[in-house]
Amino acid sequence: MIDWHSHILPGMDDGSRDVAESLALLKMLREQGVRTVVATPHFYANDESVESFLKRRKESYERLMAQVPQDAPKILLGAEVRYYPGIGRMEELSRLCIEGSKVLLLEMTMSKWTQYSVRELIELAGTRDVQLVMAHIERYMSLQSDSVWEQLLENGVLMQVNTEFFTQFGSKHKAIRYLESGRVQLLGSDCHNTKSRPPLFDKAGKLICKKLGDEFISQLNEFGYSVLAKN
C-alpha cells in the first residue's frame, strides 16, 4: 500500500520529533503493509520560502535515511501545502509536488470555501503541471455543498482520506460508501507520532477488505501507483 499523507520526517513540523520516532513510525507502517510512504511535512507560504522549506526537508530526510533499515518502506518526499487565495500563481508550486510526479497534496481551510477558491482549484487542476490531491477531505465534507465535490471530481481532482476515518464508529460506514462510490481514491495515515496519532492502515485495511474485498484493495493500490507514474 501507499501512505499518501504522513509526518514522518524528524523535526520538520508537529509530526515526528526525532529520528528514533521516525524509525518507530516506519516500522509500524511496514508491519501494517505499507510499502511506499509519502513524507508530507506542512508547508505554509506565509511562513517560509520554498527554498528554505526544501533545504530543511533535505536535511531532515538525510538524517533519517542514515539510520533507515533496508526493509523499511520507500520514502517519497512531498509536502502538505496549505491553500491560500492566489496559490495558482505561485511560481515554485511544482517544486512541492511529490518527487518524481506532478502530484500536489493540498490542505484546505476548515470553513465554507468561497466561489473564488473553488474556481481556483478547478483552474489549478486543469493545468498540465499539477495533479491536485485534496488532503483529508473528511474534515471538510460537511462544510461544502455536494455540487462543490462534484465539480472537483469532474475536473480530475483526487481525494485523500485518513485511515482514522475508517476506524471510528461514527464515520466508518460513510468512509466505506465514499470509497466504494469512487468519491475517495487515496488513503493516508496522516501519522504524527506513535501514541496519539499513529498510522492505522491495519485497522482500516481490515474493514475495507471485509466490506469491499481483497480485490478492491489491490485495485486501489494499483491506481495509486499509476497516479505516481504519470508525468
Side-chain angles (χ1 to χ4, degrees), residues 123-165:
E123 290 175 355
L124 183 58
T127 70
R128 294 183 178 181
D129 296 330
V130 171
Q131 167 61 69
L132 196 58
V133 173
M134 308 292 286
H136 45 55
I137 66 160
E138 68 273 17
R139 297 184 184 179
Y140 328 121
M141 280 180 172
S142 63
L143 301 175
Q144 322 305 326
S145 66
D146 286 343
S147 64
V148 167
W149 298 113
E150 290 168 3
Q151 289 178 68
L152 295 175
L153 287 167
E154 288 172 358
N155 284 275
V157 178
L158 298 178
M159 306 296 175
Q160 178 259 314
V161 291
N162 289 349
T163 48
E164 185 181 26
F165 193 37

Side-chain angles (χ1 to χ4, degrees), residues 86-193:
I87 192 172
R89 297 190 296 274
M90 182 178 173
E91 292 183 359
E92 296 183 293
L93 189 60
S94 62
R95 298 182 69 191
L96 299 172
C97 290
I98 298 170
E99 64 173 303
S101 79
K102 296 181 179 180
V103 180
L104 181 75
L105 185 68
L106 194 66
E107 180 185 35
M108 296 300 292
T109 57
M110 287 290 293
S111 62
K112 183 176 176 60
W113 306 334
T114 65
Q115 290 183 345
Y116 173 88
S117 295
V118 175
R119 185 167 61 250
E120 185 171 33
L121 293 175
I122 291 172
E123 290 175 355
L124 183 58
T127 70
R128 294 183 178 181
D129 296 330
V130 171
Q131 167 61 69
L132 196 58
V133 173
M134 308 292 286
H136 45 55
I137 66 160
E138 68 273 17
R139 297 184 184 179
Y140 328 121
M141 280 180 172
S142 63
L143 301 175
Q144 322 305 326
S145 66
D146 286 343
S147 64
V148 167
W149 298 113
E150 290 168 3
Q151 289 178 68
L152 295 175
L153 287 167
E154 288 172 358
N155 284 275
V157 178
L158 298 178
M159 306 296 175
Q160 178 259 314
V161 291
N162 289 349
T163 48
E164 185 181 26
F165 193 37
F166 295 85
T167 66
Q168 297 188 349
F169 179 79
S171 62
K172 62 182 181 180
H173 298 297
K174 182 183 290 186
I176 289 294
R177 289 200 305 273
Y178 284 153
L179 193 60
E180 185 176 24
S181 67
R183 196 168 189 175
V184 166
Q185 305 86 18
L186 308 173
L187 303 181
S189 69
D190 199 5
C191 60
H192 282 60
N193 54 60

